[in-house]
Amino acid sequence: DQQVKQNSPSLSVQEGRISILNCDYTNSMFDYFLWYKKYPAEGPTFLISISSIKDKNEDGRFTVFLNKSAKHLSLHIVPSQPGDSAVYFCAAIEWNSGNTPLVFGKGTRLSVIA
Amino acid sequence: DTGVSQDPRHKITKRGQNVTFRCDPISEHNRLYWYRQTLGQGPEFLTYFQNEAQLEKSRLLSDRFSAERPKGSFSTLEIQRTEQGDSAMYLCASSSTTSSVSPFGPGTRLTVT
Protein backbone atom coordinates (compact mmCIF):
# COMPACT_ATOMS: atom_id res chain seq x y z
CA ASP A 1 0.00 0.00 0.00
CA GLN A 2 1.45 3.29 -1.13
CA GLN A 3 1.12 5.70 1.79
CA VAL A 4 2.67 8.58 -0.17
CA LYS A 5 1.63 9.02 -3.77
CA GLN A 6 3.03 11.17 -6.53
CA ASN A 7 0.68 10.52 -9.39
CA SER A 8 2.57 12.44 -12.06
CA PRO A 9 5.70 10.54 -13.12
CA SER A 10 6.92 13.49 -15.17
CA LEU A 11 6.38 17.19 -15.74
CA SER A 12 7.78 19.58 -18.37
CA VAL A 13 7.85 23.30 -17.78
CA GLN A 14 9.29 26.24 -19.67
CA GLU A 15 12.10 28.16 -18.06
CA GLY A 16 10.80 31.08 -16.04
CA ARG A 17 7.35 29.58 -15.51
CA ILE A 18 5.96 27.95 -12.38
CA SER A 19 6.47 24.25 -11.67
CA ILE A 20 3.86 22.60 -9.45
CA LEU A 21 4.57 19.13 -8.13
CA ASN A 22 1.84 17.31 -6.25
CA CYS A 23 1.80 14.70 -3.52
CA ASP A 24 -1.01 12.88 -1.71
CA TYR A 25 -0.81 10.79 1.44
CA THR A 26 -3.11 8.35 3.17
CA ASN A 27 -1.66 8.01 6.67
CA SER A 28 -3.24 10.57 8.98
CA MET A 29 -0.43 10.01 11.49
CA PHE A 30 2.07 11.75 9.22
CA ASP A 31 2.89 15.10 10.77
CA TYR A 32 5.99 16.23 8.93
CA PHE A 33 6.55 16.39 5.19
CA LEU A 34 9.72 16.87 3.18
CA TRP A 35 10.70 17.34 -0.43
CA TYR A 36 13.95 15.93 -1.76
CA LYS A 37 15.58 16.51 -5.11
CA LYS A 38 17.63 13.81 -6.80
CA TYR A 39 20.04 13.89 -9.69
CA PRO A 40 21.10 10.63 -11.40
CA ALA A 41 23.77 8.64 -9.56
CA GLU A 42 23.53 10.87 -6.47
CA GLY A 43 21.71 10.60 -3.18
CA PRO A 44 18.58 12.69 -2.55
CA THR A 45 19.17 16.26 -1.41
CA PHE A 46 16.84 17.89 1.09
CA LEU A 47 14.95 20.83 -0.38
CA ILE A 48 12.19 22.07 1.93
CA SER A 49 9.88 20.75 4.63
CA ILE A 50 6.65 21.58 6.38
CA SER A 51 5.11 20.65 9.70
CA SER A 52 1.47 19.64 9.87
CA ILE A 53 0.73 22.65 12.06
CA LYS A 54 1.45 24.93 9.12
CA ASP A 55 -0.13 25.26 5.70
CA LYS A 56 2.70 27.00 3.91
CA ASN A 57 6.46 27.21 4.05
CA GLU A 58 8.59 29.29 1.72
CA ASP A 59 12.30 29.25 0.99
CA GLY A 60 13.46 31.39 -1.88
CA ARG A 61 12.00 30.08 -5.12
CA PHE A 62 10.47 27.06 -3.37
CA THR A 63 7.14 27.03 -1.55
CA VAL A 64 5.40 24.01 -0.08
CA PHE A 65 1.66 24.07 0.60
CA LEU A 66 -0.11 21.59 2.86
CA ASN A 67 -3.85 20.86 2.85
CA LYS A 68 -4.36 18.51 5.79
CA SER A 69 -8.06 17.94 5.21
CA ALA A 70 -7.35 16.78 1.66
CA LYS A 71 -4.13 14.99 2.68
CA HIS A 72 -2.41 16.81 -0.13
CA LEU A 73 0.74 18.84 -0.48
CA SER A 74 2.38 20.61 -3.36
CA LEU A 75 5.75 22.08 -4.16
CA HIS A 76 5.85 25.28 -6.19
CA ILE A 77 9.04 26.41 -7.92
CA VAL A 78 8.99 29.96 -9.24
CA PRO A 79 10.67 30.83 -11.51
CA SER A 80 11.75 27.44 -12.83
CA GLN A 81 15.34 27.16 -14.02
CA PRO A 82 17.05 24.51 -16.17
CA GLY A 83 19.13 23.48 -13.15
CA ASP A 84 15.91 22.45 -11.41
CA SER A 85 15.60 19.52 -13.80
CA ALA A 86 15.74 16.45 -11.55
CA VAL A 87 13.51 13.88 -9.86
CA TYR A 88 11.58 15.29 -6.92
CA PHE A 89 10.47 13.04 -4.08
CA CYS A 90 7.82 13.79 -1.53
CA ALA A 91 8.39 12.12 1.85
CA ALA A 92 6.55 11.96 5.16
CA ILE A 93 7.23 10.92 8.72
CA GLU A 94 5.32 10.40 11.96
CA TRP A 95 7.62 12.74 13.86
CA ASN A 96 5.60 13.17 17.06
CA SER A 97 5.07 9.45 17.52
CA GLY A 98 8.79 8.82 17.09
CA ASN A 99 8.35 6.82 13.91
CA THR A 100 11.08 8.58 12.02
CA PRO A 101 11.99 6.54 8.92
CA LEU A 102 10.95 8.49 5.85
CA VAL A 103 8.14 7.17 3.64
CA PHE A 104 8.69 8.27 0.06
CA GLY A 105 6.54 8.66 -3.02
CA LYS A 106 7.74 7.32 -6.35
CA GLY A 107 8.94 10.70 -7.53
CA THR A 108 8.17 13.16 -10.31
CA ARG A 109 10.76 13.87 -12.99
CA LEU A 110 10.81 17.61 -13.69
CA SER A 111 12.24 18.86 -16.96
CA VAL A 112 12.72 22.60 -17.28
CA ILE A 113 13.07 23.58 -20.92
CA ALA A 114 15.16 26.59 -21.80
CA ASP B 1 32.28 17.62 8.32
CA THR B 2 31.64 16.69 4.70
CA GLY B 3 28.27 15.03 5.21
CA VAL B 4 27.21 11.40 4.92
CA SER B 5 29.65 9.24 2.98
CA GLN B 6 29.22 5.78 1.52
CA ASP B 7 31.68 3.25 0.17
CA PRO B 8 31.92 1.85 -2.43
CA ARG B 9 30.00 4.04 -4.86
CA HIS B 10 29.57 1.18 -7.29
CA LYS B 11 29.71 -2.59 -6.87
CA ILE B 12 29.29 -5.26 -9.51
CA THR B 13 29.05 -8.80 -8.23
CA LYS B 14 28.02 -12.21 -9.45
CA ARG B 15 24.89 -13.86 -8.18
CA GLY B 16 25.55 -15.85 -5.04
CA GLN B 17 28.42 -13.69 -3.79
CA ASN B 18 28.35 -11.70 -0.57
CA VAL B 19 28.75 -7.93 -0.56
CA THR B 20 29.26 -5.38 2.21
CA PHE B 21 28.64 -1.64 2.08
CA ARG B 22 29.77 1.00 4.52
CA CYS B 23 28.15 4.24 5.63
CA ASP B 24 29.78 7.00 7.65
CA PRO B 25 27.15 9.39 9.04
CA ILE B 26 27.56 13.01 10.03
CA SER B 27 29.61 12.78 13.20
CA GLU B 28 27.14 14.29 15.67
CA HIS B 29 24.16 12.32 14.33
CA ASN B 30 23.07 9.40 16.48
CA ARG B 31 20.48 8.02 14.06
CA LEU B 32 21.44 6.17 10.91
CA TYR B 33 19.07 4.85 8.24
CA TRP B 34 19.44 2.47 5.31
CA TYR B 35 17.13 2.72 2.29
CA ARG B 36 17.02 0.95 -1.06
CA GLN B 37 15.95 2.52 -4.32
CA THR B 38 15.09 0.59 -7.47
CA LEU B 39 14.30 2.01 -10.89
CA GLY B 40 11.08 4.00 -10.97
CA GLN B 41 10.57 3.82 -7.23
CA GLY B 42 11.24 6.12 -4.36
CA PRO B 43 13.70 5.12 -1.65
CA GLU B 44 12.29 2.33 0.56
CA PHE B 45 13.21 2.02 4.21
CA LEU B 46 15.28 -1.00 5.22
CA THR B 47 16.48 -0.45 8.79
CA TYR B 48 17.65 2.15 11.25
CA PHE B 49 19.90 2.55 14.27
CA GLN B 50 19.92 4.87 17.21
CA ASN B 51 23.49 4.81 18.41
CA GLU B 52 24.48 1.14 18.21
CA ALA B 53 20.95 -0.23 18.71
CA GLN B 54 19.05 -1.44 15.67
CA LEU B 55 15.56 -0.12 16.43
CA GLU B 56 13.53 -1.13 13.40
CA LYS B 57 13.78 -3.46 10.42
CA SER B 58 11.51 -3.38 7.39
CA ARG B 59 9.91 -6.54 6.08
CA LEU B 60 11.97 -5.80 2.95
CA LEU B 61 15.05 -6.82 4.92
CA SER B 62 15.19 -10.55 4.24
CA ASP B 63 17.35 -12.88 6.31
CA ARG B 64 20.10 -12.51 3.69
CA PHE B 65 20.54 -8.90 4.78
CA SER B 66 22.26 -7.87 7.98
CA ALA B 67 23.24 -4.44 9.24
CA GLU B 68 25.47 -3.41 12.09
CA ARG B 69 26.61 -0.24 13.79
CA PRO B 70 29.05 -1.62 16.32
CA LYS B 71 30.28 1.56 17.99
CA GLY B 72 27.42 3.86 17.14
CA SER B 73 29.45 5.54 14.42
CA PHE B 74 29.76 3.96 10.96
CA SER B 75 27.42 1.22 9.79
CA THR B 76 27.76 -1.74 7.46
CA LEU B 77 25.09 -3.45 5.39
CA GLU B 78 25.86 -6.97 4.23
CA ILE B 79 23.95 -8.94 1.64
CA GLN B 80 24.66 -12.66 1.55
CA ARG B 81 24.07 -14.89 -1.48
CA THR B 82 23.14 -11.95 -3.69
CA GLU B 83 20.31 -12.30 -6.18
CA GLN B 84 19.60 -10.27 -9.31
CA GLY B 85 16.64 -8.70 -7.53
CA ASP B 86 19.09 -7.12 -5.07
CA SER B 87 20.36 -4.82 -7.82
CA ALA B 88 19.51 -1.33 -6.61
CA MET B 89 20.90 1.89 -5.18
CA TYR B 90 21.53 1.50 -1.45
CA LEU B 91 21.23 4.80 0.37
CA CYS B 92 22.29 5.81 3.84
CA ALA B 93 21.00 8.80 5.77
CA SER B 94 21.63 10.14 9.26
CA SER B 95 19.94 12.52 11.65
CA SER B 96 19.93 13.71 15.21
CA THR B 97 17.04 13.03 17.57
CA THR B 98 16.03 16.68 17.39
CA SER B 99 15.91 17.03 13.63
CA SER B 100 13.40 15.59 11.18
CA VAL B 101 15.71 16.23 8.23
CA SER B 102 17.94 13.34 7.21
CA PRO B 103 20.81 14.19 4.87
CA PHE B 104 21.59 11.34 2.50
CA GLY B 105 24.88 9.94 1.31
CA PRO B 106 25.67 9.52 -2.40
CA GLY B 107 24.55 5.90 -2.40
CA THR B 108 26.09 2.59 -3.44
CA ARG B 109 24.92 1.27 -6.79
CA LEU B 110 24.84 -2.55 -6.68
CA THR B 111 24.61 -4.59 -9.86
CA VAL B 112 24.20 -8.35 -9.54
CA THR B 113 25.00 -10.24 -12.74
Side-chain angles (χ1 to χ4, degrees):
Chain A
D1 61 332
Q2 194 80 14
Q3 296 186 71
V4 177
K5 299 177 185 178
Q6 294 178 257
N7 291 321
S8 297
S10 63
L11 175 68
S12 285
V13 172
Q14 287 259 298
E15 181 180 7
R17 306 294 288 267
I18 184 170
S19 295
I20 300 176
L21 294 91
N22 294 303
C23 177
D24 297 290
Y25 62 96
T26 57
N27 184 350
S28 57
M29 296 295 291
F30 287 146
D31 52 16
Y32 207 85
F33 304 88
L34 305 91
W35 285 93
Y36 283 82
K37 175 180 178 179
K38 188 177 185 300
Y39 293 115
E42 294 183 11
T45 303
F46 170 73
L47 202 54
I48 192 169
S49 62
I50 188 166
S51 163
S52 60
I53 63 173
K54 295 186 175 181
D55 55 17
K56 178 182 175 181
N57 187 27
E58 192 171 352
D59 183 2
R61 297 186 297 113
F62 303 92
T63 304
V64 56
F65 296 92
L66 175 62
N67 182 334
K68 276 183 62 179
S69 61
K71 293 191 176 67
H72 176 83
L73 61 154
S74 60
L75 174 68
H76 292 210
I77 306 173
V78 182
S80 301
Q81 300 173 352
D84 296 330
S85 297
V87 179
Y88 289 79
F89 291 101
C90 173
I93 57 174
E94 298 177 30
W95 177 250
N96 284 325
S97 58
N99 191 0
T100 56
L102 292 161
V103 179
F104 284 88
K106 292 187 177 184
T108 296
R109 181 178 300 280
L110 174 65
S111 300
V112 180
I113 304 161
Chain B
D1 192 348
T2 55
V4 180
S5 61
Q6 292 186 246
D7 184 70
R9 294 291 307 275
H10 304 275
K11 178 72 178 178
I12 300 174
T13 191
K14 292 186 177 179
R15 189 178 51 175
Q17 298 294 303
N18 299 344
V19 294
T20 301
F21 311 140
R22 176 178 170 128
C23 171
D24 286 88
I26 292 171
S27 56
E28 62 267 28
H29 285 178
N30 60 348
R31 287 182 175 168
L32 186 149
Y33 303 83
W34 285 99
Y35 294 84
R36 180 176 71 185
Q37 185 183 12
T38 53
L39 199 62
Q41 301 294 320
E44 296 171 294
F45 168 70
L46 293 178
T47 187
Y48 94 96
F49 294 84
Q50 181 158 307
N51 300 312
E52 62 275 9
Q54 189 172 18
L55 295 190
E56 187 175 344
K57 292 195 287 187
S58 160
R59 56 185 167 78
L60 291 177
L61 210 69
S62 78
D63 56 8
R64 295 184 298 104
F65 287 69
S66 62
E68 294 183 342
R69 195 182 182 198
K71 296 181 181 178
S73 56
F74 73 91
S75 174
T76 58
L77 177 68
E78 181 183 16
I79 309 174
Q80 295 183 326
R81 305 181 303 281
T82 51
E83 300 172 356
Q84 287 188 319
D86 297 331
S87 295
M89 172 78 89
Y90 289 83
L91 296 161
C92 176
S94 68
S95 72
S96 66
T97 49
T98 57
S99 173
S100 56
V101 177
S102 300
F104 279 79
T108 295
R109 166 72 65 190
L110 172 67
T111 302
V112 182
T113 62

